[in-house]
Amino acid sequence: MSNYAAEPTTLADASVSATSRLLQVSGLTKSFDNSSTPIFSDVSFSIFASQSVALIGSNGAGKSTLLRCCLRLIEPDAGSIVLDGETIDKKSGRHLSKARNKVGFVFQKHCLVPRLSALSNVLHGNLAYSQGPRNWLQGLAKQEARERAMDCLKQVGLAHLANKRCDQLSGGQSQRVAVARALMQQPSILFADEPTASLDPQSAQEIMELFNGLVKNQGLTLFFVSHNIEHALKYADRVLGLQERKLSLDSATHTQSLQSLRAFYG
Amino acid sequence: MDKQKENSLMNNAINGQATLDTPMRFERPSILTQVLFALFVLFFLWSTSNAGLSISELLSGLPNMATIGGEMIPPATDRAWPMANAILVTFQMALVGTVIGIALSIPIAILAARNASPHPIVRHVTRSVVSFFRTVPDLAWALFFVASVGLGPFAGTLTIIVDTIGFCARFFAESMEEVDPGPSEALASIGANPIDRIAVVLIPGAMPSFINISLFSLEKAVRSSVVLGLVGAGGIGAELAVSMEMFRYDQAAMIVLMIFVLVFAVEQFSSSTRNRLLRQSK
């Protein structure tokens, strides 16, 4: 498996400096239940601004755990994480929350509050920066925040469903609302954990196109986990592969093929 | 199970070479289960004698029941207005006690819920206090409050507040614990603080249960507020006790009818309100 230096390689990326390194992970190791065998060990990689990076690997390889460890939603056993120039290894409480503000997160299951409207759910993205009842419900929000939330819904093509309860939306629509919530947060980098896994092929395609548009047109940085290697090849600039507890692939997507990536699911 | 073993079992299954036996239809209970069941049966038989079950006494009591039943018909209407007033006070005690109890139950439930409490010690202490409120019978609370604040509806209202906290705080906490943790994790991942997560995820997520529990609590409070009057804590119970003591079974029948109408009306109201509120969008 060809290893690839984590630096950007395209012409446009040539000017990328260390300051555009949005996420730097070094020697990350995690095991569960005091098991002597780690789920992954000594994982190191970097993600640069405006890159789209896919993380692939078979079930149980530790992809979702790795993604969560990068934000310390799951505590890693060892390793160092630098998020947008800030080391978050030792941070806790409010300081850790503040560091997480910069990262949007889209989950496999959209993780919206089902009984609230799409607009209220999008508004919750604001909780990253400002606490309190003003961001709990759209009816209590400041006009400026409501307008920004509507803009985010427009970006994902759901402005017409702003007042609809999320438990009345389809899977694809719900995932779009989750993306809008992440956009509301104005993140430096967007994490997505198998964002299309629970969607039909058409909706999955739409969500990936949406991500692609955000990366290409707005310069958003995307780090997504996927089992769909076609998506990884089509929508990512780089692909990382977890296999046998190691990060055994870190490569520019154009150097990879369906065949080479299928090896991760053998 | 490691991947190789799993693959080998899968291949065997595909090739029709699976060797696992079909499990038994019913598993034989363990010795411990059998012993516990035998102990339960023995204890139950002993309990039936201590509970005073007696067919002969039941048969000899039947004529008395018929006599009292006969005297109850027709129900007396001579004291209908004071009784109606007492039933109104009974309902008001239940309503005020329940609303205040519910309002106090929400913060208590937050302290008692595993996914909302600031610290395990706070959770255990809060749960213990709520358990104490719930396990002490409402009549005992009524006697305590009558002795503390005197006869009348205030003692009854205090009893209902404590009873409602014991009931609602426990079930509110449990319904918050059952809320899907996904949205809360999503907000934690972006740095939202715990208070926001409780307000935005747990309370709306548990709201259907909150409404159900609150309405059941109101029904329960109406039923128990009827009995509280028997120990002097206000309401229609005092009227019922006086009628029975003075052998005015016709008046007692009227009171029982009024209680039935009140409880039935509250149950109907609570059922329709529950359906309407749960249908409404937020």
Side-chain angles (χ1 to χ4, degrees):
Chain A
M1 199 66 62
S2 68
N3 273 341
Y4 169 75
E7 300 297 324
T9 55
T10 63
L11 202 58
D13 292 338
S15 61
V16 167
S17 66
T19 53
S20 68
R21 200 186 294 251
L22 285 181
L23 176 68
Q24 186 178 3
V25 169
S26 315
L28 214 61
T29 300
K30 176 68 190 171
S31 44
F32 281 118
D33 303 329
N34 301 322
S35 161
S36 56
T37 317
I39 187 163
F40 54 75
S41 72
D42 200 23
V43 169
S44 303
F45 63 93
S46 294
I47 292 177
F48 297 86
S50 303
Q51 269 193 338
S52 169
V53 179
L55 175 63
I56 63 166
S58 60
N59 284 332
K63 305 179 296 299
S64 298
T65 306
L66 175 58
L67 208 64
R68 284 165 171 75
C69 281
C70 290
L71 282 183
R72 290 185 52 214
L73 290 171
I74 294 175
E75 208 58 57
D77 298 336
S80 159
I81 306 150
V82 181
L83 194 60
D84 204 7
E86 225 180 329
T87 305
I88 64 166
D89 310 345
K90 302 273 184 272
K91 285 185 187 293
S92 61
R94 206 179 310 149
H95 300 291
L96 181 59
S97 292
K98 201 175 166 201
R100 286 173 179 159
N101 294 166
K102 302 163 189 164
V103 185
F105 208 128
V106 176
F107 293 80
Q108 179 180 341
K109 287 177 188 160
H110 43 77
C111 293
L112 302 172
V113 184
R115 290 177 57 78
L116 298 183
S117 68
L119 189 58
S120 288
N121 270 285
V122 174
L123 196 71
H124 294 165
N126 228 17
L127 288 170
Y129 300 102
S130 103
Q131 281 83 41
R134 284 287 205 173
N135 292 311
W136 291 353
L137 292 170
Q138 62 94 7
L140 305 173
K142 287 181 181 166
Q143 188 57 22
E144 179 262 329
R146 295 179 86 242
E147 280 166 14
R148 212 153 55 75
M150 277 306 290
D151 275 346
C152 295
L153 276 174
K154 271 182 206 149
Q155 286 184 58
V156 299
L158 288 181
H160 61 294
L161 297 177
N163 217 20
K164 191 127 177 157
R165 261 170 61 156
C166 284
D167 52 6
Q168 293 167 357
L169 300 176
S170 70
Q173 288 169 337
S174 297
Q175 199 60 300
R176 280 166 177 267
V177 175
V179 175
R181 179 178 62 189
L183 294 178
M184 181 75 187
Q185 197 190 332
Q186 299 178 308
S188 309
I189 181 169
L190 182 62
F191 284 19
D193 185 9
E194 299 191 45
T196 61
S198 58
L199 303 179
D200 62 62
Q202 177 63 30
S203 306
Q205 183 78 11
E206 286 170 9
I207 290 292
M208 290 313 298
E209 287 292 340
L210 175 64
F211 281 137
N212 196 40
L214 294 169
V215 173
K216 302 289 181 238
N217 305 329
Q218 298 185 18
L220 188 76
T221 307
L222 178 66
F223 182 29
F224 68 99
V225 169
S226 182
H227 276 306
N228 189 324
I229 47 183
E230 282 92 354
H231 283 171
L233 285 172
K234 187 172 176 187
Y235 297 110
D237 304 316
R238 265 172 63 207
V239 59
L240 310 181
L242 266 179
Q243 196 173 36
E244 291 171 356
R245 303 178 186 94
K246 295 279 179 197
L247 189 71
S248 54
L249 174 71
D250 183 351
S251 166
T253 311
H254 62 81
T255 65
Q256 297 297 317
S257 65
L258 274 177
Q259 199 111 31
S260 63
L261 295 186
R262 276 199 189 113
F264 283 85
Y265 298 90
Chain B
M1 192 183 300
D2 62 32
K3 196 91 179 168
Q4 257 183 342
K5 197 172 174 189
E6 201 176 307
N7 285 343
S8 150
L9 282 174
M10 179 72 87
N11 286 336
N12 284 343
I14 291 167
N15 299 330
Q17 294 166 352
T19 52
L20 291 174
D21 294 330
T22 310
M24 287 167 64
R25 285 177 190 273
F26 302 104
E27 283 190 13
R28 191 186 175 84
S30 68
I31 298 290
L32 180 66
T33 309
Q34 291 177 46
V35 170
L36 287 174
F37 183 72
L39 283 174
F40 170 75
V41 169
L42 287 172
F43 184 75
F44 180 76
L45 291 173
W46 179 40
S47 302
T48 53
S49 67
N50 278 356
L53 280 187
S54 163
I55 297 291
S56 59
E57 282 180 31
L58 178 68
L59 291 175
S60 65
L62 281 177
N64 289 340
M65 288 186 202
T67 310
I68 294 170
E71 287 179 25
M72 282 181 155
I73 298 168
T77 53
D78 53 329
R79 296 199 68 247
W81 272 117
M83 285 175 189
N85 189 45
I87 204 103
L88 180 65
V89 170
T90 305
F91 175 68
Q92 288 169 327
M93 271 164 51
L95 184 70
V96 172
T98 307
V99 170
I100 295 174
I102 289 168
L104 294 174
S105 292
I106 293 174
I108 294 173
I110 289 169
L111 297 177
R114 200 182 327 106
N115 51 354
S117 185
H119 196 277
I121 292 174
V122 175
R123 177 162 62 91
H124 287 302
V125 170
T126 313
R127 282 199 171 244
S128 305
V129 171
V130 171
S131 289
F132 178 71
F133 281 6
R134 192 176 55 255
T135 47
V136 174
D138 48 6
L139 275 181
W141 281 117
L143 288 168
F144 170 73
F145 285 122
V146 164
S148 308
V149 300
L151 293 167
F154 183 47
T157 307
L158 288 174
T159 304
I160 289 166
I161 290 172
V162 171
D163 205 38
T164 301
I165 292 172
F167 179 76
C168 285
R170 179 205 167 171
F171 290 110
F172 283 3
E174 285 180 2
S175 54
M176 282 199 281
E177 286 172 357
E178 284 164 11
V179 170
D180 174 16
S184 189
E185 189 192 4
L187 293 180
S189 75
I190 67 170
N193 73 24
I195 293 173
D196 288 329
R197 294 198 321 256
I198 290 166
V200 157
V201 179
L202 294 187
I203 292 180
M207 192 50 79
S209 302
F210 279 15
I211 292 169
N212 260 329
I213 294 161
S214 301
L215 290 169
F216 280 126
S217 172
L218 178 65
E219 291 175 24
K220 184 173 166 297
V222 168
R223 278 194 296 270
S224 68
S225 63
V226 167
V227 186
L228 297 181
L230 296 175
V231 292
I236 193 77
E239 293 275 347
L240 183 61
V242 170
S243 301
M244 293 299 277
E245 279 163 13
M246 298 181 71
F247 306 107
R248 287 294 308 269
Y249 297 124
D250 52 346
Q251 282 185 359
M254 187 67 191
I255 293 168
V256 169
L257 267 179
M258 284 182 165
I259 292 169
F260 168 74
V261 170
L262 174 68
V263 173
F264 184 75
V266 168
E267 283 182 0
Q268 290 300 307
F269 164 80
S270 116
S271 172
S272 67
T273 307
R274 186 179 303 129
N275 290 337
R276 200 167 53 248
L277 285 176
L278 294 183
R279 268 201 311 269
Q280 261 178 15
S281 65
K282 292 275 163 178

